[in-house]
Coordinates of all heavy atoms in Angstrom, one line a residue:
T23 N 78.6 -59.4 -22.8 CA 80.0 -59.7 -22.8 C 80.8 -59.0 -21.7 O 80.7 -57.8 -21.5 CB 80.6 -59.3 -24.1 OG1 79.9 -60.0 -25.2 CG2 82.1 -59.7 -24.2
G24 N 81.5 -59.8 -20.9 CA 82.3 -59.2 -19.8 C 81.6 -58.7 -18.6 O 82.2 -58.0 -17.8
F25 N 80.3 -58.9 -18.5 CA 79.5 -58.2 -17.4 C 79.9 -58.9 -16.1 O 80.1 -60.1 -16.0 CB 78.0 -58.4 -17.6 CG 77.2 -57.8 -16.6 CD1 76.9 -56.4 -16.6 CD2 76.6 -58.5 -15.6 CE1 76.1 -55.8 -15.6 CE2 75.8 -58.0 -14.6 CZ 75.6 -56.6 -14.6
R26 N 80.0 -58.0 -15.0 CA 80.3 -58.5 -13.7 C 79.0 -58.3 -12.8 O 78.5 -57.2 -12.7 CB 81.4 -57.7 -13.1 CG 82.8 -58.0 -13.7 CD 83.2 -59.4 -13.2 NE 84.5 -59.8 -13.7 CZ 84.8 -60.5 -14.8 NH1 83.7 -60.8 -15.6 NH2 86.0 -60.8 -15.2
A27 N 78.6 -59.4 -12.2 CA 77.4 -59.3 -11.4 C 77.5 -58.4 -10.2 O 78.5 -58.4 -9.6 CB 77.0 -60.8 -10.9
E28 N 76.5 -57.6 -10.0 CA 76.5 -56.7 -8.8 C 76.2 -57.5 -7.5 O 75.4 -58.4 -7.5 CB 75.4 -55.6 -9.0 CG 75.7 -54.6 -10.0 CD 74.7 -53.5 -10.0 OE1 73.6 -53.7 -10.7 OE2 74.9 -52.5 -9.3
L29 N 76.9 -57.2 -6.5 CA 76.7 -57.8 -5.2 C 75.9 -56.7 -4.3 O 76.1 -55.5 -4.4 CB 78.0 -58.1 -4.5 CG 78.9 -59.2 -5.3 CD1 80.2 -59.4 -4.5 CD2 78.1 -60.5 -5.5
A30 N 75.1 -57.2 -3.4 CA 74.3 -56.3 -2.6 C 74.2 -56.9 -1.2 O 74.4 -58.0 -0.9 CB 72.8 -56.2 -3.2
A31 N 73.9 -56.0 -0.2 CA 73.8 -56.3 1.2 C 72.9 -55.4 1.9 O 72.6 -54.3 1.4 CB 75.2 -56.3 1.8
F32 N 72.4 -55.8 3.0 CA 71.5 -55.0 3.8 C 72.3 -54.2 4.8 O 73.3 -54.7 5.4 CB 70.4 -55.8 4.5 CG 69.4 -56.4 3.6 CD1 69.5 -57.8 3.2 CD2 68.4 -55.7 3.1 CE1 68.6 -58.3 2.4 CE2 67.4 -56.2 2.2 CZ 67.5 -57.6 1.9
R33 N 71.8 -53.0 5.1 CA 72.5 -52.2 6.2 C 71.4 -51.4 6.9 O 70.4 -51.0 6.3 CB 73.5 -51.2 5.6 CG 73.0 -50.2 4.6 CD 74.2 -49.4 4.0 NE 73.7 -48.5 3.0 CZ 73.5 -47.2 3.3 NH1 73.7 -46.7 4.5 NH2 73.1 -46.4 2.4
A34 N 71.6 -51.2 8.2 CA 70.6 -50.4 9.0 C 71.0 -49.0 9.1 O 72.1 -48.6 9.3 CB 70.6 -51.0 10.5
V35 N 70.0 -48.1 8.8 CA 70.1 -46.7 8.8 C 69.2 -46.1 9.8 O 67.9 -46.2 9.7 CB 69.9 -46.1 7.4 CG1 70.0 -44.6 7.5 CG2 70.8 -46.7 6.4
P36 N 69.7 -45.4 10.9 CA 68.8 -44.7 11.9 C 67.9 -43.7 11.2 O 68.3 -43.0 10.3 CB 69.7 -44.1 12.9 CG 71.0 -44.8 12.7 CD 71.1 -45.2 11.2
V37 N 66.7 -43.6 11.8 CA 65.7 -42.6 11.3 C 66.0 -41.2 12.0 O 66.0 -41.2 13.2 CB 64.3 -43.0 11.6 CG1 63.3 -41.9 11.1 CG2 63.9 -44.3 10.9
E38 N 66.3 -40.2 11.2 CA 66.6 -38.9 11.8 C 65.3 -38.2 12.1 O 64.3 -38.3 11.5 CB 67.4 -38.1 10.8 CG 68.7 -38.6 10.4 CD 69.5 -37.8 9.4 OE1 69.0 -36.7 9.0 OE2 70.7 -38.2 9.1
G39 N 65.4 -37.4 13.3 CA 64.2 -36.7 13.7 C 64.1 -36.7 15.2 O 65.1 -37.1 15.9
S40 N 63.0 -36.3 15.7 CA 62.8 -36.1 17.2 C 62.2 -37.4 17.8 O 62.0 -37.4 19.0 CB 61.9 -34.9 17.5 OG 60.6 -35.1 16.8
G41 N 62.0 -38.4 17.0 CA 61.4 -39.6 17.6 C 62.4 -40.5 18.3 O 63.6 -40.1 18.5
A42 N 62.0 -41.7 18.7 CA 62.9 -42.6 19.4 C 64.0 -43.0 18.5 O 63.9 -43.2 17.3 CB 62.1 -43.8 19.9
S43 N 65.2 -43.1 19.2 CA 66.4 -43.5 18.4 C 66.4 -45.0 18.0 O 67.3 -45.5 17.3 CB 67.7 -43.2 19.3 OG 67.6 -43.9 20.5
T44 N 65.4 -45.7 18.5 CA 65.4 -47.2 18.2 C 64.8 -47.4 16.8 O 64.8 -48.6 16.3 CB 64.5 -47.9 19.2 OG1 63.2 -47.3 19.2 CG2 65.1 -47.8 20.6
R45 N 64.3 -46.4 16.1 CA 63.7 -46.6 14.8 C 64.8 -46.6 13.8 O 65.5 -45.6 13.7 CB 62.7 -45.5 14.5 CG 61.6 -45.3 15.6 CD 60.8 -46.6 15.7 NE 59.7 -46.4 16.6 CZ 59.7 -46.7 17.9 NH1 60.8 -47.2 18.4 NH2 58.7 -46.5 18.7
V46 N 64.9 -47.6 13.0 CA 65.9 -47.7 11.9 C 65.2 -48.3 10.7 O 64.2 -49.0 10.7 CB 67.1 -48.6 12.3 CG1 67.8 -48.0 13.5 CG2 66.6 -50.0 12.6
Y47 N 65.8 -47.9 9.5 CA 65.4 -48.4 8.3 C 66.4 -49.5 7.9 O 67.6 -49.4 8.2 CB 65.3 -47.4 7.2 CG 64.1 -46.5 7.2 CD1 64.3 -45.1 7.7 CD2 62.9 -46.9 6.9 CE1 63.2 -44.3 7.7 CE2 61.8 -46.1 6.9 CZ 61.9 -44.8 7.3 OH 60.9 -43.9 7.4
S48 N 65.9 -50.5 7.2 CA 66.8 -51.5 6.6 C 66.9 -51.2 5.1 O 65.9 -51.3 4.4 CB 66.3 -52.9 6.8 OG 67.2 -53.9 6.3
L49 N 68.1 -50.9 4.6 CA 68.3 -50.5 3.2 C 69.2 -51.5 2.5 O 70.1 -52.1 3.1 CB 69.0 -49.1 3.1 CG 68.2 -47.9 3.7 CD1 69.0 -46.7 3.5 CD2 66.9 -47.8 3.0
E50 N 68.9 -51.7 1.2 CA 69.7 -52.6 0.4 C 70.8 -51.7 -0.3 O 70.5 -50.7 -0.9 CB 68.8 -53.2 -0.7 CG 69.6 -53.9 -1.8 CD 69.8 -55.4 -1.4 OE1 69.5 -55.8 -0.3 OE2 70.4 -56.1 -2.3
S51 N 72.0 -52.1 -0.2 CA 73.1 -51.3 -0.8 C 74.0 -52.2 -1.6 O 74.3 -53.3 -1.3 CB 73.9 -50.6 0.3 OG 74.5 -51.6 1.2
T52 N 74.5 -51.6 -2.8 CA 75.4 -52.4 -3.6 C 76.8 -52.2 -3.1 O 77.3 -51.1 -3.0 CB 75.3 -51.8 -5.1 OG1 74.0 -52.0 -5.6 CG2 76.3 -52.6 -6.0
I53 N 77.4 -53.4 -2.7 CA 78.7 -53.3 -2.1 C 79.9 -53.6 -3.0 O 81.0 -53.6 -2.6 CB 78.8 -54.3 -0.9 CG1 78.5 -55.8 -1.4 CG2 77.8 -54.0 0.2 CD1 78.7 -56.8 -0.4
G54 N 79.5 -53.9 -4.3 CA 80.6 -54.1 -5.2 C 80.1 -55.1 -6.3 O 79.0 -55.1 -6.7
Y55 N 81.1 -55.9 -6.8 CA 80.8 -56.8 -7.9 C 81.5 -58.1 -7.7 O 82.5 -58.2 -7.0 CB 81.2 -56.1 -9.2 CG 82.7 -55.8 -9.3 CD1 83.6 -56.7 -9.8 CD2 83.1 -54.5 -8.9 CE1 84.9 -56.4 -9.9 CE2 84.5 -54.2 -8.9 CZ 85.4 -55.1 -9.4 OH 86.7 -54.8 -9.5

């Protein structure tokens, strides 16, 4: 009763460290409802 569906989206997150800055992770994040 009254539930609101979660909305989600992908976002790119750079990999921290001494490697190349071109390495990124693609993460799923909840942006709202």
Side-chain angles (χ1 to χ4, degrees):
T23 302
F25 182 80
R26 288 290 183 265
E28 289 185 275
L29 300 178
F32 291 102
R33 60 187 178 95
V35 179
V37 178
E38 297 182 359
S40 58
S43 59
T44 57
R45 305 298 185 265
V46 297
Y47 284 107
S48 181
L49 296 181
E50 170 88 355
S51 59
T52 301
I53 59 175
Y55 58 91

